DNA sequence: TCTGGGGTCCTAGGACCC
DNA sequence: TCTGGGGTCCTAGGACCC
């Protein structure tokens, strides 16, 4: 094994959300299930079990379409806390095998196993042990596919080769053969827009991309030109970076059941989203300094996003509502609104800032965690600030996300 | 009843300061 | 009198990921 040769694992949890649901509820096992919103809410399937996939149900398909293809599909509304908890548990397992674990998403990680495995054969043995640990400790419904390769890009391609519960190795000698078989848009970082752009340039295969002139690619894509060319040649030097996955932004969005310009509905929906965000911020002891307010007009006739910097760091609903409501209100005068969202950025930990910078909203910042405790204990909407009170309307939208859980969790 | 919701990163232009 | 230039922050928007 050459000295500079790396051994990288990419681990992908199979049908992750659906598997977690099936693990939690034995009644769902062996059945086609989809995680997502109910039909009628204009929602889509965020994840499908393998039973559902075999019936043609695909991720990002509308619930309406999914049920048309598979009428016995059980649709479960997701439980993001349960997925996050399962994520923490499998990351902890991976960390027993290497100190370099990069969490790429809720259901994917890279592991740098260089030095921990002396050869590809030994790497395969370790991969099998990881798979059996996951199954034993998280439950038989939770399986993963592991790709092993000399870099992150190829490891990701490898984990996709065998699903579910697969194990696939790409040796350096097999890289070229593999790349010849895949389309450019299968490479990490090349999505539909870039793929289309490449086709306009006459670049239709991965081999053609690998052989394209760097000058041309850099002219068209800037610094990413080199990244695309290297990807097509199987070259990726990026390191596995052990990231403690601390969120850089927290946001929520919601597609309304019907397009509307009704200010009361829009304002109360916006407030519901903001309240969810602020409670997450406070739970993580984070304050935000920047806010993006976003909406999509009816029939996808454009969208609008505006950012602003807040007066000071806050986790307070009213400050965010004051900043975002004028944007949504004005937008609704252009066209009825289909969907709206709010996202907070520039998060900072509350303990890292002196109280004096909180200025006028200090009182609210100090009192809101107490309101959270009451709401957490007795249920949402038990208590809320007077300024946001519009009971009838807030109740109207309060149950829109997680109130649809149709199956009791077994644990 | 076509077309969700959660994120990350990058670019480019303008304002503003020195 | 010529209009400079670098650095940073802010904002809008685009592209990607799952």
């Amino acid at each position: 094994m050459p000295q500079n040769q790396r051994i990288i694992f990419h681990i992908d949890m199979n049908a992750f959300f659906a598997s977690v649901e099936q693990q939690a509820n034995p009644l769902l096992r062996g059945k086609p299930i989809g995680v997502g919103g109910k039909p009628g809410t204009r929602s889509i399937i965020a994840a499908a079990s393998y039973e559902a996939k075999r019936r043609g149900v695909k991720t990002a398909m509308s619930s309406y379409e999914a049920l048309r293809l598979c009428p016995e599909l059980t649709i479960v509304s997701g439980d993001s806390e349960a997925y996050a908890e399962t994520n923490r548990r499998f990351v902890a397992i991976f960390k027993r095998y290497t100190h370099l674990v990069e969490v790429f998403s809720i259901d994917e990680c890279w592991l740098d196993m260089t030095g921990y495995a002396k050869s590809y054969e030994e790497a395969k043995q370790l991969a099998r042990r990881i798979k059996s640990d996951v199954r034993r400790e998280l439950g038989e419904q939770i399986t993963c596919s592991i790709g092993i390769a000399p870099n992150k890009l190829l490891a990701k391609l490898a984990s996709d080769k065998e699903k579910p519960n697969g194990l696939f190795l790409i040796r350096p000698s097999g890289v070229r053969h593999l790349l010849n078989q895949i389309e450019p848009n299968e490479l990490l970082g090349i999505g539909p827009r870039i793929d289309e752009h490449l086709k306009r340039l006459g670049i239709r295969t991965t081999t053609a991309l690998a052989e394209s002139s760097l000058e041309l690619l850099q002219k068209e894509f800037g610094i990413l030109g080199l990244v695309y060319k290297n990807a097509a040649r199987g070259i990726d030097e990026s390191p596995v970076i052990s990231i403690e996955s601390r969120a850089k932004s927290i946001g929520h969005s919601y597609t309304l059941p019907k397009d509307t310009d009704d200010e009361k509905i829009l304002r109360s929906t916006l407030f519901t989203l903001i309240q969810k965000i602020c409670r997450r911020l406070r739970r993580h002891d984070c304050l935000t300094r920047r806010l993006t307010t976003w909406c999509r007009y009816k029939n996808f006739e454009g969208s609008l996003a505006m950012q602003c910097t807040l007066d000071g760091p806050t986790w307070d609903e009213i400050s965010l509502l004051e900043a975002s409501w004028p944007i949504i209100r004005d937008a609704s005068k252009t066209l009825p609104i289909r969907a709206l969202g709010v996202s907070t950025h520039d998060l900072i930990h509350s303990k890292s800032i002196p109280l004096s910078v909180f200025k006028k909203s200090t009182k609210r910042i100090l009192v809101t965690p107490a309101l959270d405790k009451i709401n957490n204990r007795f249920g949402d909407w038990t208590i809320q600030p007077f300024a946001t009170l519009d009971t009838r309307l807030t109740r109207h939208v309060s149950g829109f996300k997680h109130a649809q859980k149709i199956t009791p969790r077994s644990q």
Side-chain angles (χ1 to χ4, degrees):
Chain A
M1 182 125 197
Q3 242 188 350
N4 57 353
Q5 187 76 67
R6 294 188 294 160
I7 298 182
I8 309 296
F9 285 13
H10 179 259
I11 309 185
D12 188 322
M13 308 306 287
N14 302 131
F16 182 55
F17 296 171
S19 303
V20 172
E21 297 297 338
Q22 288 176 317
Q23 185 61 40
N25 183 351
L27 295 176
L28 297 174
R29 295 181 194 171
K31 291 186 180 157
I33 72 160
V35 177
K38 284 290 177 53
T41 57
R42 306 207 283 194
S43 65
I44 56 97
I45 301 294
S49 68
Y50 278 90
E51 296 83 359
K53 287 183 185 185
R54 280 196 285 274
R55 304 287 302 274
V57 177
K58 292 197 170 88
T59 300
M61 183 178 267
S62 72
S63 306
Y64 176 77
E65 174 73 1
L67 274 176
R68 197 182 60 76
L69 282 168
C70 178
E72 42 313 10
L73 183 73
T74 304
I75 295 183
V76 188
S77 64
D79 180 345
S80 50
E81 288 295 324
Y83 309 146
E85 173 58 22
T86 308
N87 171 280
R88 282 189 285 275
R89 290 172 66 193
F90 67 67
V91 170
I93 293 174
F94 301 160
K95 284 186 173 168
R96 301 205 293 252
Y97 287 84
T98 169
H99 69 291
L100 280 176
V101 175
E102 179 172 339
V103 179
F104 182 53
S105 72
I106 190 111
D107 65 342
E108 285 177 56
C109 290
W110 278 289
L111 279 60
D112 190 336
M113 298 297 290
T114 313
Y116 294 94
K118 302 283 180 289
S119 65
Y120 281 113
E121 277 317 308
E122 199 180 329
K124 277 169 88 170
Q125 287 170 20
L126 289 173
R128 287 193 199 97
R129 272 177 51 196
I130 290 175
K131 284 156 70 75
S132 84
D133 284 1
V134 166
R135 222 167 164 157
R136 189 177 62 249
E137 295 177 35
L138 301 186
E140 61 174 21
Q141 300 295 313
I142 313 288
T143 63
C144 57
S145 289
I146 302 186
I148 307 173
N151 63 43
K152 287 163 71 176
L153 174 92
L154 294 168
K156 178 142 170 77
L157 285 173
S159 70
D160 214 32
K161 280 283 169 188
E162 278 183 18
K163 283 185 174 180
N165 202 16
L167 174 57
F168 194 88
L169 166 66
I170 300 176
R171 292 174 192 275
S173 57
V175 171
R176 170 162 279 200
H177 176 68
L178 179 104
L179 290 170
N180 284 342
Q181 294 176 314
I182 63 167
E183 303 274 324
N185 63 11
E186 291 176 64
L187 296 167
L188 186 65
I190 300 187
R193 298 297 176 114
I194 305 297
D195 192 41
E196 209 175 279
H197 193 156
L198 288 170
K199 285 200 169 75
R200 281 200 305 275
L201 298 171
I203 300 167
R204 291 165 201 284
T205 65
T206 305
T207 312
L209 178 56
E211 290 167 359
S212 297
S213 108
L214 181 59
E215 202 183 358
L216 170 73
L217 294 174
Q218 283 180 328
K219 182 173 149 266
E220 298 290 329
F221 303 106
I223 53 167
L224 290 173
L226 178 62
V227 176
Y228 300 154
K229 185 175 167 81
N230 278 341
R233 297 164 71 203
I235 296 170
D236 171 27
E237 304 285 344
S238 64
V240 174
I241 300 170
S242 195
I243 305 168
E244 288 309 320
S245 52
R246 176 176 289 180
K248 295 184 176 167
S249 68
I250 290 179
H252 285 288
S253 60
Y254 179 61
T255 298
L256 295 151
K258 279 174 71 176
D259 306 329
T260 187
D261 57 6
D262 183 316
E263 291 195 1
K264 283 189 175 172
I265 291 175
L266 291 170
R267 189 171 188 276
S268 57
T269 303
L270 181 66
F271 180 66
T272 303
L273 296 169
I274 287 173
Q275 193 171 51
K276 286 169 72 169
I277 292 167
C278 289
R279 287 169 71 173
R280 280 176 70 194
L281 288 172
R282 296 191 288 266
R283 203 181 320 133
H284 293 105
D285 279 326
C286 279
L287 296 110
T288 178
R289 288 180 290 196
R290 288 169 62 72
L291 180 71
T292 300
T293 308
W294 166 89
C295 71
R296 171 177 283 145
Y297 295 115
K298 77 172 175 83
N299 298 333
F300 288 78
E301 290 169 36
S303 62
L304 173 143
M306 298 188 84
Q307 295 187 18
C308 65
T309 300
L310 299 158
D311 284 345
T314 184
W315 57 30
D316 167 61
E317 280 90 348
I318 295 165
S319 308
L320 300 196
L321 192 66
E322 281 170 355
S324 57
W325 169 238
I327 295 165
I328 296 297
R329 185 191 57 214
D330 294 350
S332 72
K333 288 173 181 152
T334 309
L335 274 175
I337 287 176
R338 175 189 176 90
L340 64 159
V342 186
S343 189
T344 56
H345 320 264
D346 258 13
L347 308 184
I348 35 173
H349 201 271
S350 63
K351 297 193 174 55
S352 64
I353 353 172
L355 266 182
S356 55
V357 307
F358 292 150
K359 295 183 193 160
K360 63 172 183 177
S361 53
T362 302
K363 266 194 208 164
R364 287 206 301 265
I365 284 173
L366 296 178
V367 83
T368 36
L371 302 186
D372 285 348
K373 276 191 188 162
I374 296 170
N375 285 321
N376 287 342
R377 177 155 179 205
F378 298 104
D380 286 356
W381 315 101
T382 303
I383 187 165
Q384 56 183 305
F386 181 78
T388 62
L389 207 59
D390 185 337
T391 310
R392 186 177 60 83
L393 283 161
T394 47
R395 280 192 188 284
H396 168 73
V397 296
S398 67
F400 66 75
K401 181 94 201 270
H402 293 295
Q404 301 161 347
K405 190 171 287 293
I406 52 170
T407 46
R409 192 160 289 285
S410 65
Q411 52 202 17

